Amino acid sequence: MINSRICKILGIRYPVFQGGMAWVAEAELAAAVSEAGGLGIIAAMNMDGESLRAEIKKLRTLTDKPFGVNVMLMSPYVEEVSEVIISERVPVVTTGAGNPLVYMKKWLAAGVKVIPVVASVALAQMVAKRGATAVVAEGGESGGHIGEANTMPLVPQVADSVDIPVIAAGGIADGRGLAAALMLGADGVQMGTRFLVAKECKIHPNYKQKVLKAGDTGTMVSGRRSGHPVRALKTAFAREYSELEKNPEITDEKLAEFGSGALRRAVVEGDLDKGSFLCGSVAGLVKEEQTCKQIIEDVVSGAEKLLKAASDRLV
Ligand code: TUI
């Protein structure tokens, strides 16, 4: 059994978080992950306060295990969502795409465990100083909105810089990734891409097929011009967006209009022409649709076998 302080702190069996993927991470997926012993996370990104409350209530009908809510700090609903988290007594909050300090104090005072997603040592240290329960150190291999650092160098530097548990994210999809993350000084992992194809993940079947078919060079990063780079599958839409942003004649407004609603079109409609299929660069390792229980047990048992045999590598 993998021994990790984050399991004790959160009351979970395995140190495996499911990423709070916008439009994707709903009650059914999060409940299945928590029920399987990991930390399931509902993404509040595209929800107003009352929609989030309904999703939390739905999750509670499916599991009584601990769960989290991810707050995307660029969301237009961030204020109301931050209040619902308190009134619903959500056990764990993760945050992304910004600096969570303005909300942390009231969450922590209300007994919510706060685990910011950070893409730098500086933010990790800042939130640790203000009482964060743990941090997710997310490298640029991740899907969606990413920072500049990659997982392999970021995780040990964050682990060296704070005393709280560190969860590694970005480029992790199997037992090898979990074992490697532990060796880098992490206390657990967060995975998004592998859970995209979970049976309990209700995205459009076109999205799952595209992830399952993607190979080692199947993703690309666009959006640097807007200051919010995102990693997605290399599709006609992603290539076109990338070309448009290089063109100085295209205004920022036109570019934003072109991208607007693209994630919803991928997740809900499976729109192969105009959808943006956010996905991590680890997609090439994700080969089959499985239940969340199968995924978590495969990752954890894979890592345990590797770690037990690790000394065989020494002479
Ligand atoms: O937030 C994410 N991943 C996301 S959010 C998202 S929604 C979206 N969809 C389309 C376009 C843009 C956003 C999709 N994927 N991951 C966590 C994460 N946080 N990655 C990077 C960061 C981050 C970046 C800058 C955290 C803090 C930060 O700066 C904070 C500061 O002020 O120092």
Side-chain angles (χ1 to χ4, degrees):
M1 188 84 160
I2 286 169
N3 174 22
S4 164
R5 29 182 195 157
I6 197 67
C7 293
K8 219 175 185 168
I9 294 170
L10 303 184
I12 58 177
R13 185 149 184 223
Y14 302 120
V16 177
F17 292 15
Q18 159 249 313
M21 298 167 280
W23 284 99
V24 173
E26 296 180 335
E28 204 170 338
L29 176 64
V33 170
S34 288
E35 212 32 46
L39 186 75
I41 296 178
I42 294 173
M45 160 63 191
N46 53 308
M47 295 179 201
D48 61 21
E50 290 316 304
S51 310
L52 174 63
R53 195 188 304 280
E55 214 55 30
I56 293 167
K57 288 188 190 301
K58 184 171 170 193
L59 177 140
R60 286 191 160 126
T61 67
L62 300 169
T63 185
D64 57 4
K65 302 260 187 335
F67 67 96
V69 168
N70 176 258
V71 178
M72 219 287 284
L73 294 159
M74 296 192 305
S75 160
Y77 306 114
V78 59
E79 287 294 335
E80 55 189 274
V81 152
S82 74
E83 292 299 328
V84 169
I85 282 164
I86 293 170
S87 60
E88 287 297 325
R89 301 175 329 278
V90 168
V92 182
V93 165
T94 65
T95 64
N99 186 326
L101 285 186
V102 278
Y103 305 101
M104 275 182 62
K105 203 169 169 184
K106 67 176 178 183
W107 286 332
L108 290 168
V112 180
K113 297 187 173 77
V114 181
I115 308 186
V117 179
V118 302
S120 68
V121 166
L123 188 58
Q125 286 183 314
M126 202 185 295
V127 297
K129 223 160 75 186
R130 302 290 192 91
T133 309
V135 288
V136 175
E138 188 188 85
E141 296 91 329
S142 292
H145 177 55
I146 54 173
E148 291 296 336
N150 289 319
T151 303
M152 184 82 96
L154 179 66
V155 171
Q157 290 180 84
V158 170
D160 283 347
S161 74
V162 297
D163 292 328
I164 54 178
V166 176
I167 309 303
I172 299 162
D174 63 14
R176 293 170 293 185
L178 172 55
L182 297 174
M183 292 299 97
L184 292 175
D187 297 275
V189 294
Q190 174 168 285
M191 301 190 301
T193 304
R194 180 121 185 224
F195 286 119
L196 267 179
V197 301
K199 286 214 163 79
E200 298 90 344
C201 181
K202 298 301 172 196
I203 58 174
H204 195 283
N206 286 352
Y207 203 142
K208 287 192 182 179
Q209 282 311 311
K210 283 197 97 61
V211 173
L212 291 167
K213 281 196 193 131
D216 57 343
T217 59
T219 67
M220 62 185 279
V221 178
S222 63
R224 292 199 188 276
R225 176 167 140 185
S226 74
H228 305 297
V230 299
R231 182 180 295 282
L233 290 174
K234 260 182 209 167
T235 58
F237 173 87
R239 286 199 171 91
E240 198 178 341
Y241 187 95
S242 195
E243 285 310 310
L244 286 176
E245 70 180 345
K246 278 184 223 143
N247 183 346
E249 284 168 22
I250 303 289
T251 62
D252 289 350
E253 289 74 27
K254 265 257 166 302
L255 197 59
E257 197 182 304
F258 183 76
S260 172
L263 178 56
R264 197 197 71 82
R265 286 195 290 275
V267 174
V268 181
E269 294 163 21
D271 185 336
L272 297 171
D273 297 322
K274 296 201 172 60
S276 174
F277 293 81
L278 301 186
C279 182
S281 62
V282 79
L285 279 181
V286 176
K287 302 269 184 251
E288 61 174 326
E289 191 179 25
Q290 292 174 304
T291 64
C292 291
K293 187 166 190 289
Q294 288 170 326
I295 291 172
I296 291 177
E297 285 175 1
D298 174 62
V299 170
V300 172
S301 68
E304 281 171 353
K305 276 193 203 103
L306 286 167
L307 293 169
K308 272 193 198 130
S311 62
D312 297 350
R313 292 176 185 257
L314 300 173
V315 284

